[in-house]
Amino acid sequence: MQIRDKVVVVTGAARGIGKAIAAAFADRGARIALVDLVPGDAEAARAEFAARGVDVRAYAANVAKEAEVVATLDRVVADFGALDVMINNAGIIKDALLVKVKDGKVAGKMTLDQWQAVIDVNLTGVFLCGREAAERMVSLGRGGLIVNIASISKAGNPGQSNYSAAKAGVTAMAVVWARELARFGIRAASIAPGFTRTDLLAGMPPEMLEKVTQPVPLKRLGLPEEIAHAAVFIAENDYFTGRSIDIDGGLRL
């Protein structure tokens, strides 16, 4: 895929990995649709991109709400006349042990609200965005690409029953979509970042960061730009589909 002039939609685009991915595609001449839950954050990111001469628009939407996803992607197609790449990046965490045991007694457990909130955004949201993007790509007849941002937690990580289940799910969905959509010229893939220097991790105390990076062979956090580089590679390599790229500095949870 030649990225220049392609319409790229990124969810969770106002900061972190999503913003870095949007910037990487913008640097290669793509037209960018920034989707984020918080309207002010989406607009601030849009203004920043626009100041650099990027053809960009911002959309506020909750990816877990079907009606909002449908309306947003309808607006993207109306505004840009196309939809070529869908980057499903939006996600949240609500970590907790399945059961927390103290002195031999269960003192707490992951709540249904903690489970459902993460599944709604990280799994159902990706399903909705992927489905609606695929529908529009088929109708437009231009082919396309769907990339799901997973995590190395897809292999299972203590304290993340909800997050691990969701990220395993979005990885599997990319395989399913690659098989189902290839006949329409649509590819699908996933990227599984390891510990990455986002606002969440960068704000940790130094001792916590040391604990996080100690098991990583490269002894550092990943950079959002390094994750973005993988997304660009997938877009530009037309023979890449149905696979996941793990970017974790050599760490395997």
Side-chain angles (χ1 to χ4, degrees):
M1 176 186 290
Q2 296 295 322
I3 292 176
R4 180 165 295 280
D5 295 327
K6 292 296 191 293
V7 176
V8 179
V9 182
V10 184
T11 66
R15 60 177 56 82
I17 290 172
K19 187 176 181 182
I21 291 174
F25 278 93
D27 288 344
R28 288 158 178 80
R31 306 164 70 198
I32 307 296
L34 304 170
V35 180
D36 202 86
L37 178 63
V38 181
D41 291 350
E43 175 55 29
R46 185 209 64 78
E48 182 179 331
F49 277 71
R52 294 164 40 199
V54 178
D55 184 359
V56 59
R57 291 176 184 263
Y59 306 86
N62 182 343
V63 298
K65 302 294 186 182
E66 183 176 28
E68 294 188 27
V69 172
V70 171
T72 296
L73 293 191
D74 278 344
R75 287 177 58 203
V76 168
V77 173
D79 290 342
F80 289 98
L83 197 172
D84 300 298
V85 179
M86 182 79 218
I87 306 291
N88 290 314
N89 169 73
I92 62 171
I93 58 171
K94 289 186 178 292
D95 294 350
L97 294 173
L98 184 67
V99 290
K100 183 178 181 179
V101 179
K102 184 177 182 180
D103 298 328
K105 296 182 179 180
V106 175
K109 55 189 176 182
M110 178 175 282
T111 67
L112 181 58
D113 285 346
Q114 288 171 317
W115 167 269
Q116 199 63 60
V118 171
I119 294 300
D120 285 349
V121 175
N122 296 18
L123 185 60
T124 302
V126 171
F127 161 72
L128 289 171
C129 290
R131 185 192 70 184
E132 295 304 310
E135 178 183 353
R136 285 152 185 78
M137 288 173 182
V138 170
S139 298
L140 290 164
R142 293 162 55 103
L145 170 66
I146 302 170
V147 178
N148 296 342
I149 304 302
S151 167
I152 53 169
S153 292
K154 67 185 178 178
N157 191 34
Q160 292 191 317
S161 291
N162 47 11
Y163 189 79
S164 293
K167 293 305 186 179
V170 303
T171 303
M173 284 197 296
V175 177
V176 174
W177 298 346
R179 291 180 176 274
E180 291 183 354
L181 301 173
R183 63 197 175 110
F184 304 109
I186 300 169
R187 296 182 291 120
S190 59
I191 299 171
F195 296 116
T196 305
R197 189 175 290 281
T198 59
D199 291 346
L200 180 66
L201 288 184
M204 283 184 175
E207 61 272 17
M208 288 297 295
L209 282 176
E210 171 65 22
K211 185 177 179 180
V212 165
T213 56
Q214 193 280 328
V216 179
L218 294 183
K219 300 301 180 187
R220 67 173 177 87
L221 299 175
L223 300 176
E225 293 77 13
E226 291 168 327
I227 312 305
H229 186 264
V232 169
F233 163 77
I234 292 171
E236 292 182 331
N237 190 327
D238 289 323
Y239 202 52
F240 192 98
T241 194
R243 300 296 184 185
S244 176
I245 298 178
D246 293 2
I247 308 176
D248 62 0
L251 176 66
R252 296 294 181 269
L253 290 176

PDB file of all heavy atoms in Angstrom, residues 189-203:
ATOM      1  N   ALA A 189      -4.325  -7.417  10.608  1.00  0.00           N
ATOM      2  CA  ALA A 189      -3.161  -7.851  11.367  1.00  0.00           C
ATOM      3  C   ALA A 189      -3.245  -7.263  12.767  1.00  0.00           C
ATOM      4  O   ALA A 189      -4.154  -6.485  13.082  1.00  0.00           O
ATOM      5  CB  ALA A 189      -1.875  -7.396  10.675  1.00  0.00           C
ATOM      6  N   SER A 190      -2.293  -7.657  13.619  1.00  0.00           N
ATOM      7  CA  SER A 190      -2.253  -7.092  14.964  1.00  0.00           C
ATOM      8  C   SER A 190      -0.816  -6.798  15.366  1.00  0.00           C
ATOM      9  O   SER A 190       0.132  -7.359  14.818  1.00  0.00           O
ATOM     10  CB  SER A 190      -2.908  -8.043  15.980  1.00  0.00           C
ATOM     11  OG  SER A 190      -2.256  -9.295  16.008  1.00  0.00           O
ATOM     12  N   ILE A 191      -0.689  -5.908  16.333  1.00  0.00           N
ATOM     13  CA  ILE A 191       0.602  -5.550  16.916  1.00  0.00           C
ATOM     14  C   ILE A 191       0.477  -5.736  18.423  1.00  0.00           C
ATOM     15  O   ILE A 191      -0.491  -5.272  19.036  1.00  0.00           O
ATOM     16  CB  ILE A 191       0.979  -4.094  16.602  1.00  0.00           C
ATOM     17  CG1 ILE A 191       1.084  -3.885  15.090  1.00  0.00           C
ATOM     18  CG2 ILE A 191       2.290  -3.712  17.292  1.00  0.00           C
ATOM     19  CD1 ILE A 191       1.231  -2.426  14.700  1.00  0.00           C
ATOM     20  N   ALA A 192       1.450  -6.415  19.014  1.00  0.00           N
ATOM     21  CA  ALA A 192       1.426  -6.668  20.456  1.00  0.00           C
ATOM     22  C   ALA A 192       2.596  -5.955  21.128  1.00  0.00           C
ATOM     23  O   ALA A 192       3.701  -6.492  21.196  1.00  0.00           O
ATOM     24  CB  ALA A 192       1.487  -8.163  20.735  1.00  0.00           C
ATOM     25  N   PRO A 193       2.375  -4.737  21.613  1.00  0.00           N
ATOM     26  CA  PRO A 193       3.449  -4.027  22.315  1.00  0.00           C
ATOM     27  C   PRO A 193       3.747  -4.654  23.673  1.00  0.00           C
ATOM     28  O   PRO A 193       2.861  -5.228  24.325  1.00  0.00           O
ATOM     29  CB  PRO A 193       2.887  -2.612  22.497  1.00  0.00           C
ATOM     30  CG  PRO A 193       1.722  -2.525  21.558  1.00  0.00           C
ATOM     31  CD  PRO A 193       1.180  -3.904  21.469  1.00  0.00           C
ATOM     32  N   GLY A 194       4.991  -4.522  24.101  1.00  0.00           N
ATOM     33  CA  GLY A 194       5.339  -4.803  25.487  1.00  0.00           C
ATOM     34  C   GLY A 194       5.184  -3.525  26.300  1.00  0.00           C
ATOM     35  O   GLY A 194       4.382  -2.648  25.958  1.00  0.00           O
ATOM     36  N   PHE A 195       5.942  -3.402  27.371  1.00  0.00           N
ATOM     37  CA  PHE A 195       5.861  -2.203  28.203  1.00  0.00           C
ATOM     38  C   PHE A 195       6.374  -0.999  27.414  1.00  0.00           C
ATOM     39  O   PHE A 195       7.524  -0.969  26.978  1.00  0.00           O
ATOM     40  CB  PHE A 195       6.680  -2.387  29.475  1.00  0.00           C
ATOM     41  CG  PHE A 195       6.162  -3.487  30.358  1.00  0.00           C
ATOM     42  CD1 PHE A 195       6.935  -4.612  30.617  1.00  0.00           C
ATOM     43  CD2 PHE A 195       4.901  -3.416  30.913  1.00  0.00           C
ATOM     44  CE1 PHE A 195       6.460  -5.634  31.427  1.00  0.00           C
ATOM     45  CE2 PHE A 195       4.410  -4.432  31.720  1.00  0.00           C
ATOM     46  CZ  PHE A 195       5.196  -5.543  31.978  1.00  0.00           C
ATOM     47  N   THR A 196       5.507  -0.018  27.220  1.00  0.00           N
ATOM     48  CA  THR A 196       5.801   1.109  26.345  1.00  0.00           C
ATOM     49  C   THR A 196       5.697   2.414  27.120  1.00  0.00           C
ATOM     50  O   THR A 196       4.846   2.555  28.005  1.00  0.00           O
ATOM     51  CB  THR A 196       4.817   1.112  25.153  1.00  0.00           C
ATOM     52  OG1 THR A 196       4.876  -0.165  24.495  1.00  0.00           O
ATOM     53  CG2 THR A 196       5.166   2.198  24.151  1.00  0.00           C
ATOM     54  N   ARG A 197       6.545   3.377  26.780  1.00  0.00           N
ATOM     55  CA  ARG A 197       6.617   4.640  27.511  1.00  0.00           C
ATOM     56  C   ARG A 197       5.431   5.539  27.163  1.00  0.00           C
ATOM     57  O   ARG A 197       5.553   6.493  26.407  1.00  0.00           O
ATOM     58  CB  ARG A 197       7.938   5.352  27.237  1.00  0.00           C
ATOM     59  CG  ARG A 197       8.177   6.572  28.142  1.00  0.00           C
ATOM     60  CD  ARG A 197       9.546   7.166  27.924  1.00  0.00           C
ATOM     61  NE  ARG A 197      10.600   6.304  28.426  1.00  0.00           N
ATOM     62  CZ  ARG A 197      10.950   6.200  29.703  1.00  0.00           C
ATOM     63  NH1 ARG A 197      10.330   6.930  30.623  1.00  0.00           N
ATOM     64  NH2 ARG A 197      11.913   5.389  30.067  1.00  0.00           N
ATOM     65  N   THR A 198       4.297   5.208  27.714  1.00  0.00           N
ATOM     66  CA  THR A 198       3.112   6.056  27.606  1.00  0.00           C
ATOM     67  C   THR A 198       2.979   6.865  28.892  1.00  0.00           C
ATOM     68  O   THR A 198       3.763   6.708  29.829  1.00  0.00           O
ATOM     69  CB  THR A 198       1.859   5.191  27.403  1.00  0.00           C
ATOM     70  OG1 THR A 198       1.724   4.296  28.520  1.00  0.00           O
ATOM     71  CG2 THR A 198       1.970   4.378  26.118  1.00  0.00           C
ATOM     72  N   ASP A 199       1.970   7.722  28.952  1.00  0.00           N
ATOM     73  CA  ASP A 199       1.763   8.544  30.144  1.00  0.00           C
ATOM     74  C   ASP A 199       1.618   7.683  31.393  1.00  0.00           C
ATOM     75  O   ASP A 199       2.106   8.041  32.471  1.00  0.00           O
ATOM     76  CB  ASP A 199       0.518   9.420  29.986  1.00  0.00           C
ATOM     77  CG  ASP A 199       0.690  10.507  28.938  1.00  0.00           C
ATOM     78  OD1 ASP A 199       1.843  10.750  28.539  1.00  0.00           O
ATOM     79  OD2 ASP A 199      -0.314  11.101  28.524  1.00  0.00           O
ATOM     80  N   LEU A 200       0.938   6.534  31.252  1.00  0.00           N
ATOM     81  CA  LEU A 200       0.690   5.670  32.396  1.00  0.00           C
ATOM     82  C   LEU A 200       1.987   5.160  33.007  1.00  0.00           C
ATOM     83  O   LEU A 200       2.209   5.249  34.220  1.00  0.00           O
ATOM     84  CB  LEU A 200      -0.181   4.483  31.971  1.00  0.00           C
ATOM     85  CG  LEU A 200      -0.532   3.490  33.073  1.00  0.00           C
ATOM     86  CD1 LEU A 200      -1.419   4.140  34.121  1.00  0.00           C
ATOM     87  CD2 LEU A 200      -1.217   2.258  32.482  1.00  0.00           C
ATOM     88  N   LEU A 201       2.883   4.642  32.180  1.00  0.00           N
ATOM     89  CA  LEU A 201       4.133   4.083  32.696  1.00  0.00           C
ATOM     90  C   LEU A 201       5.156   5.164  33.020  1.00  0.00           C
ATOM     91  O   LEU A 201       5.912   5.047  33.980  1.00  0.00           O
ATOM     92  CB  LEU A 201       4.723   3.090  31.696  1.00  0.00           C
ATOM     93  CG  LEU A 201       3.996   1.752  31.557  1.00  0.00           C
ATOM     94  CD1 LEU A 201       4.756   0.840  30.611  1.00  0.00           C
ATOM     95  CD2 LEU A 201       3.822   1.069  32.900  1.00  0.00           C
ATOM     96  N   ALA A 202       5.183   6.223  32.209  1.00  0.00           N
ATOM     97  CA  ALA A 202       6.177   7.276  32.435  1.00  0.00           C
ATOM     98  C   ALA A 202       5.992   7.953  33.783  1.00  0.00           C
ATOM     99  O   ALA A 202       6.942   8.486  34.356  1.00  0.00           O
ATOM    100  CB  ALA A 202       6.100   8.311  31.319  1.00  0.00           C
ATOM    101  N   GLY A 203       4.771   7.924  34.321  1.00  0.00           N
ATOM    102  CA  GLY A 203       4.499   8.551  35.602  1.00  0.00           C
ATOM    103  C   GLY A 203       4.793   7.674  36.801  1.00  0.00           C
ATOM    104  O   GLY A 203       4.591   8.096  37.943  1.00  0.00           O
TER     105      GLY A 203
END
